[in-house]
Amino acid sequence: MSKKNKIETVCVQGGYRPGNGEPRQVPIIQSTTFKYNTSEDMGKLFDLEASGYFYTRLQNPTNDYVAAKICELEGGSAAMLTSSGQAANFFAVFNVANCGDHVVASSTIYGGTYNLFAVTMKKMGIDFTFVDPDCAPEELDKAFKPNTKAVFGETIANPALTVLDIEKFASAAHKHGVPLIIDNTFATPVNCRPIEWGADIVTHSTTKYMDGHGSAVGGAIVDSGKFNWLEHADKFPGLCTPDDSYHGITYAEKFGLEGAFITKATAQLMRDFGSIQAPQNAYLLNNGLESLHVRMQRHCENALAVAEYLENSDKIDWVVYPGLKSDKYYETAQKYMPNGTCGVVSFGVKGGRKAAEKFMSGLRIAAIETHVADARTCCLHPASSTHRQMNDDELRAAGVSPDLVRLSCGLESKYDLIDDIAQALEQI
């Protein structure tokens, strides 16, 4: 697709371009395997000498059509789908950092990702240093070690709603010869394209806004194609030295800057872990992508209206939303996301845990769910659900106050959402 096409057009028509007489909609290739006429034909695929498909655990045409659209949206060079956002973040990091290596990460990232890094990947021998996203460049610089292989952050953190200074983190990463990996789930490429600000790898939980309808769990990884692995060959032997499991191929040499990272992640990690997205899920994801540009505008409009209402309510202690002019991250958000941030608002109900629980039970439109970024408004009070095993002191230590409510504004009327919040607050 021409570079002149705007992101709205890419949402609708990117990735898949049917030929004469071919299906207008992305076809669902619901097949585990693919037929070839000769062993030699298939052998070329196993040798990475030819492009094609032989087993859906590695690649599938439906998935590749949808990955190509996400790649176009982010302005990358190559992309792949995964079974979940967690799988995408794991693959993105593990593709460059192995046992004995070190990674720098923002401390306010999604709790599931934090556990993946601090607990599970630590057991695999990878060390993580978590830094305050608002730290000074000098402090960030001190977090690096000789064995640091990547830097990780989120455009907008879930649920802290911290807005990352992408250029600051990109500058630090590149100074130390490592890539910056950005999870862009909450902003989506409609509101922010991290690659344009210096990010090297972008990940997504496509389960959220990209799908947008709570239909299918999934993830995606996009490579910018700009990081020069060979310039830092000593740091990235997996990309810059021969892979014995693939006949001595050196990915950075054979596939260049544009294709090395995703090819290695597919040929090694997807081959061995099999965290593939089902073709049916990829089809559902593409349906969501076609309206992403329209939906994000409404999500942000609704969230801003709700945040402004909450900010003026005498029953609310505090509100966090980067679209508010009073928000700590407003100026940073304006720099990176001038057209809107996301549809998620975090706030504290006066009266603490009990008051928040009462508020939640009074909601009629907003559903109590662990989900976010859906067409339908959903709400979560961590202290009485996901974090209910913790007392108030333990909650605060984990960065989750007892009164915290996370509201993901859907596509309903903003006036109805505000009325629903108002009547629920009246019941406290």
Side-chain angles (χ1 to χ4, degrees):
M1 187 164 284
S2 167
K3 290 183 179 178
K4 293 180 181 179
N5 283 319
K6 305 297 184 187
I7 202 159
E8 296 88 346
T9 305
V10 179
C11 280
V12 179
Q13 296 206 19
Y16 173 64
R17 298 170 185 83
N20 188 42
E22 293 181 345
R24 186 65 191 88
Q25 180 57 284
V26 169
I28 305 170
I29 310 300
Q30 195 65 45
S31 179
T32 60
T33 191
F34 302 82
K35 173 189 173 293
Y36 287 90
N37 291 329
T38 68
S39 295
E40 183 181 0
D41 289 339
M42 183 174 282
K44 291 177 181 178
L45 299 176
F46 277 91
D47 291 346
L48 300 180
E49 294 295 338
S51 61
Y53 303 91
F54 54 85
Y55 198 51
T56 286
R57 192 181 79 223
L58 278 87
Q59 284 181 288
N60 177 282
T62 306
N63 292 23
D64 282 355
Y65 289 137
V66 182
K69 175 178 286 190
I70 295 172
C71 186
E72 238 175 299
L73 288 170
E74 287 287 6
S77 64
M80 66 191 294
L81 298 187
T82 61
S83 58
S84 68
Q86 285 287 83
N89 285 336
F90 171 63
F91 277 21
V93 174
F94 197 60
N95 208 33
V96 291
N98 301 150
C99 183
D101 290 336
H102 172 257
V103 176
V104 176
S106 167
S107 62
T108 60
I109 55 176
Y110 166 59
T113 309
Y114 184 92
N115 285 339
L116 170 67
F117 292 167
V119 179
T120 301
M121 295 187 77
K122 185 177 181 180
K123 291 177 183 176
M124 301 171 74
I126 303 172
D127 186 31
F128 287 81
T129 296
F130 295 95
V131 297
D132 185 337
D134 301 328
C135 68
E138 298 77 24
E139 188 179 345
L140 178 57
D141 195 54
K142 291 177 183 176
F144 288 82
K145 301 178 180 181
N147 61 336
T148 300
K149 297 300 176 69
V151 179
F152 184 94
E154 292 176 354
T155 316
I156 305 172
N158 172 19
L161 302 182
T162 304
V163 178
L164 195 75
D165 186 343
I166 302 171
E167 285 190 316
K168 178 178 75 175
F169 274 75
S171 176
H174 298 156
K175 176 182 176 182
H176 291 271
V178 302
L180 172 62
I181 303 170
I182 291 287
D183 184 330
N184 196 33
T185 296
F186 265 22
T188 81
V190 170
N191 286 340
C192 183
R193 285 158 55 102
I195 289 170
E196 295 177 356
W197 297 99
D200 301 290
I201 310 294
V202 175
T203 63
H204 285 275
S205 169
T206 62
T207 317
K208 309 304 189 298
Y209 288 119
M210 283 189 166
D211 174 305
H213 300 84
S215 302
V217 174
I221 308 172
V222 181
D223 180 18
S224 69
K226 295 178 180 179
F227 191 85
N228 194 328
W229 307 104
L230 289 170
E231 273 189 7
H232 311 283
D234 57 322
K235 282 184 175 287
F236 305 105
L239 284 153
C240 302
T241 59
D243 178 3
D244 293 336
S245 69
Y246 269 105
H247 313 287
I249 285 172
T250 300
Y251 295 99
E253 292 178 354
K254 185 172 181 63
F255 300 101
L257 302 187
E258 295 81 8
F261 186 88
I262 294 297
T263 303
K264 178 180 180 292
T266 301
Q268 288 184 353
L269 303 185
M270 195 61 83
R271 174 196 66 191
D272 295 342
F273 290 99
S275 301
I276 196 72
Q277 187 169 145
Q280 178 70 50
N281 284 10
Y283 172 86
L284 293 170
L285 167 57
N286 186 63
N287 284 346
L289 288 169
E290 289 181 355
S291 63
L292 180 63
H293 57 295
V294 181
R295 290 185 290 105
M296 285 309 294
Q297 188 174 359
R298 174 58 69 88
H299 282 299
C300 293
E301 177 190 333
N302 283 357
L304 181 58
V306 165
E308 289 173 342
Y309 170 80
L310 291 168
E311 192 173 40
N312 292 311
S313 171
D314 59 5
K315 295 201 173 187
I316 299 297
D317 240 351
W318 54 269
V319 183
V320 172
Y321 182 66
L324 285 173
K325 291 183 179 179
S326 59
D327 192 85
K328 176 181 180 181
Y329 295 102
Y330 178 77
E331 292 301 331
T332 309
Q334 287 298 298
K335 174 181 176 179
Y336 294 113
M337 292 161 271
N339 297 320
T341 54
C342 67
V344 180
V345 182
S346 292
F347 57 95
V349 181
K350 280 185 180 176
R353 184 194 291 249
K354 291 297 180 184
E357 289 177 359
K358 184 69 174 174
F359 167 76
M360 295 288 288
S361 65
L363 292 168
R364 296 169 184 167
I365 293 176
I368 299 174
E369 302 176 22
T370 55
H371 195 40
V372 286
D374 194 351
R376 295 159 291 270
T377 294
C378 44
C379 202
L380 185 73
H381 176 229
S384 61
S385 55
T386 55
H387 294 62
R388 66 180 296 116
Q389 76 279 8
M390 297 181 177
N391 61 37
D392 287 2
D393 290 337
E394 289 171 334
L395 282 168
R396 292 187 186 96
V400 179
S401 59
D403 62 347
L404 184 147
V405 172
R406 182 187 69 185
L407 182 72
S408 174
C409 298
L411 304 179
E412 305 91 347
S413 162
K414 60 187 176 185
Y415 303 108
D416 287 340
L417 294 182
I418 290 171
D419 285 347
D420 189 32
I421 291 166
Q423 64 84 25
L425 287 173
E426 283 301 316
Q427 298 179 40
I428 299 174

